[in-house]
Amino acid sequence: MRDKAMKGAIRRFQHFLHPPRTLRWRLFLILLTGLVLAHGLSFGALFLERTSAAKAMMLGTLEWDVATSVALLDRLPPEERGRWLPMLERRTYRYELGAGLPGVPELGSRGGEIAQAINGAINSGAGAGFPVVVESIPGDHPHLQAHVTLGDGSLVTIDVMPALMPLAAWLPLLLAGQLLLLLLCTWFAVRQAIRPLARFAKAAETLDPGGTSARLEEDGPSEVAHAATAFNAMRDRIGHYLEERVRILAAISHDLQTPITRMALRVEMAEDSPEKERLLRDLSQIERLVREGVAYARSAHGDVEIPARIDVGSFVESLAFDYQDMGKPVTVRGLPGTVLTTRPHALRRILTNLIDNALKFAGEVEITVTRDGVGRIGIAVRDSGPGIPEHQLTDVLQPFYRLEQSRNRDSGGTGLGLAIAHQLALAIGGSLTLRNRRTGGLCAEVTLG
């Protein structure tokens, strides 16, 4: 248990050492660190200047006050001097009658720069007529004492406790407020800088060149507006290229239909022979390949159909009944009352391709309709066939990819059925996932909503 806690602490420490990976946090830390350092340097410079000014003022006041106080005490009778001492006392020094405490006279080595400055100020204030000896008093609270000899030979001790003016009580609160203001301003600046990137990322993720999705707003700062304009222009170009691809494939398909039909008629008129059957089969496969290629190109434009509300359970049941009428072993476990707004013809094409693919390799199909906790609907087409190797589960969704690498179209197909289903699922705002069943076979699931 102790080792586990230690490992957890080490992981947390390592996570603390690594910088954040998001651009938002990196910009935030860079800007905040720079502003805090600049603010700290500015505050330090002001504090240093304030210290120097306070020091100069303290020494100047000390020199003038010592001169006045020593002259006053020298002129007072000895019995009157004690009564005046409280009136001459200040925050950083006070006067005592007598020799004071024994101290250390070596100011150069022990008193430091401030002691030397105070020594000079007191000597200058007392003047040449009053000898002064300044000593350093060690102990828990080291300070200075200046021993001044008055005109009648009496000693007056000036007990000096050097101290700068105390900081105001509101100054730390002001500093905390300034740091909080820096934090808020930095966060707001980073948020304003990152927001366009988030908009671009969302627009790129939902890019639908041939769809009716809203265009990226071309507002904000000039750089952001320019980038949004370029993005919308790219979106329009991609949409134009896709439409042009569909038109080209449709034209090719239309132009190929005529020679294929003529060739089929000529073959039909020929005498019956094995070659005739093979030619007819090849022509049928060519025609199917052209038709499937055009269907794949058009699947990227699945949004041309108007969305409608359907009961998914009833929709799937009616599709299964159509297969059952043709003698196909297709069973369904629907979820009644599951209403969804989608494009029915595109969804029917998706499920038809998945069912046909399952019937080809397994002979029987089971369809189930489920709904998860967040309202997403899943339509799973299950079979008990050979399945798909794990490393090829994503490859089979690509166009013209066939598991069987032979040239036999009867067994291998055109390689477009799953690709069309995958493309249409994306076009209607869903997804298609393939996974092998533990009991054997394949499960192709369409998730919507």
Side-chain angles (χ1 to χ4, degrees), residues 421-444:
H422 175 61
Q423 189 81 279
L424 280 175
L426 295 177
I428 64 175
S431 62
L432 172 62
T433 56
L434 305 178
R435 63 178 181 274
N436 289 311
R437 303 174 64 188
R438 293 182 180 179
T439 58
L442 182 71
C443 175

Side-chain angles (χ1 to χ4, degrees), residues 354 370 377-381 431-435 443-447:
L354 296 178
T370 58
I377 297 175
I379 306 174
V381 179
S431 62
L432 172 62
T433 56
L434 305 178
R435 63 178 181 274
C443 175
E445 185 172 9
V446 181
T447 304

Side-chain angles (χ1 to χ4, degrees), residues 377-389:
I377 297 175
I379 306 174
V381 179
R382 297 183 172 91
D383 63 59
S384 55
I388 298 175

Side-chain angles (χ1 to χ4, degrees), residues 215-290:
R215 296 168 63 86
L216 196 60
E217 296 182 1
E218 301 175 3
D219 56 2
S222 58
E223 296 84 358
V224 175
H226 178 70
T229 303
F231 183 88
N232 288 330
M234 179 191 69
R235 177 179 181 270
D236 295 338
R237 287 195 299 270
I238 294 176
H240 174 72
Y241 295 151
L242 291 176
E243 292 177 1
E244 186 177 10
R245 182 183 68 172
V246 174
R247 287 198 300 268
I248 291 174
L249 289 175
I252 293 174
S253 175
H254 180 270
D255 292 341
L256 286 176
Q257 290 295 330
T258 301
I260 291 174
T261 302
R262 286 201 303 263
M263 292 172 65
L265 289 174
R266 289 172 182 171
V267 173
E268 288 287 351
M269 296 174 61
E271 297 180 358
D272 294 337
S273 64
E275 287 77 10
K276 176 181 178 180
E277 296 297 329
R278 283 194 288 268
L279 283 173
L280 288 175
R281 187 164 57 250
D282 289 342
L283 289 173
S284 176
Q285 291 172 356
I286 293 174
E287 185 177 9
R288 184 178 63 176
L289 180 60
V290 172

Side-chain angles (χ1 to χ4, degrees), residues 109-438:
S109 59
R110 299 192 180 185
E113 181 183 354
I114 186 65
Q116 293 287 353
I118 291 174
N119 182 23
I122 293 177
N123 276 280
S124 176
F130 302 97
V132 179
V133 177
V134 179
E135 295 179 333
S136 175
I137 307 301
D140 295 336
H141 303 285
H143 56 284
L144 300 175
Q145 282 190 348
H147 310 289
V148 182
T149 303
L150 299 179
D152 60 358
S154 302
L155 287 177
V156 175
T157 299
I158 306 174
D159 198 4
V160 183
M161 294 162 286
L164 296 177
M165 290 293 293
L167 292 176
W170 51 264
L171 193 58
L173 297 178
L174 177 61
L175 180 61
Q178 289 175 335
L179 292 177
L180 180 60
L181 182 62
L182 287 177
L183 183 68
L184 293 176
C185 291
T186 304
W187 174 82
F188 181 75
V190 171
R191 183 172 177 268
Q192 291 296 107
I194 295 298
R195 180 183 292 179
L197 294 179
R199 286 172 48 198
F200 283 122
K202 184 178 180 181
E205 289 175 353
T206 59
L207 180 63
D208 187 10
T212 57
S213 58
R215 296 168 63 86
L216 196 60
E217 296 182 1
E218 301 175 3
D219 56 2
S222 58
E223 296 84 358
V224 175
H226 178 70
T229 303
F231 183 88
N232 288 330
M234 179 191 69
R235 177 179 181 270
D236 295 338
R237 287 195 299 270
I238 294 176
H240 174 72
Y241 295 151
L242 291 176
E243 292 177 1
E244 186 177 10
R245 182 183 68 172
V246 174
R247 287 198 300 268
I248 291 174
L249 289 175
I252 293 174
S253 175
H254 180 270
D255 292 341
L256 286 176
Q257 290 295 330
T258 301
I260 291 174
T261 302
R262 286 201 303 263
M263 292 172 65
L265 289 174
R266 289 172 182 171
V267 173
E268 288 287 351
M269 296 174 61
E271 297 180 358
D272 294 337
S273 64
E275 287 77 10
K276 176 181 178 180
E277 296 297 329
R278 283 194 288 268
L279 283 173
L280 288 175
R281 187 164 57 250
D282 289 342
L283 289 173
S284 176
Q285 291 172 356
I286 293 174
E287 185 177 9
R288 184 178 63 176
L289 180 60
V290 172
R291 186 172 59 253
E292 293 292 330
V294 175
Y296 174 75
R298 287 176 174 170
S299 65
H301 300 272
D303 56 351
V304 296
E305 180 186 355
I306 299 176
R309 288 173 60 85
I310 62 171
D311 186 310
V312 181
S314 301
F315 181 85
V316 174
E317 284 183 353
S318 66
L319 182 61
F321 290 156
D322 293 340
Y323 277 95
Q324 293 171 6
D325 291 340
M326 294 184 292
K328 305 291 185 181
V330 178
T331 59
V332 62
R333 288 190 296 169
L335 190 64
T338 306
V339 179
L340 177 69
T341 301
T342 186
R343 300 179 176 91
H345 294 296
L347 180 59
R348 177 178 290 273
R349 180 62 185 272
I350 294 171
L351 297 178
T352 300
N353 283 14
L354 296 178
I355 295 172
D356 290 343
N357 187 72
L359 289 173
K360 180 190 300 183
F361 292 101
E364 59 181 4
V365 176
E366 179 189 47
I367 309 174
T368 59
V369 180
T370 58
R371 179 166 52 189
D372 60 15
V374 295
R376 291 177 301 186
I377 297 175
I379 306 174
V381 179
R382 297 183 172 91
D383 63 59
S384 55
I388 298 175
E390 292 292 335
H391 66 280
Q392 292 182 295
L393 284 174
T394 56
D395 295 336
V396 295
L397 299 179
Q398 303 301 318
F400 299 106
Y401 186 91
R402 292 180 296 149
L403 288 176
E404 184 177 336
Q405 299 302 325
S406 68
R407 303 299 297 173
N408 189 344
R409 296 288 183 182
D410 290 335
S411 59
T414 62
L416 287 172
L418 291 177
I420 293 174
H422 175 61
Q423 189 81 279
L424 280 175
L426 295 177
I428 64 175
S431 62
L432 172 62
T433 56
L434 305 178
R435 63 178 181 274
N436 289 311
R437 303 174 64 188
R438 293 182 180 179

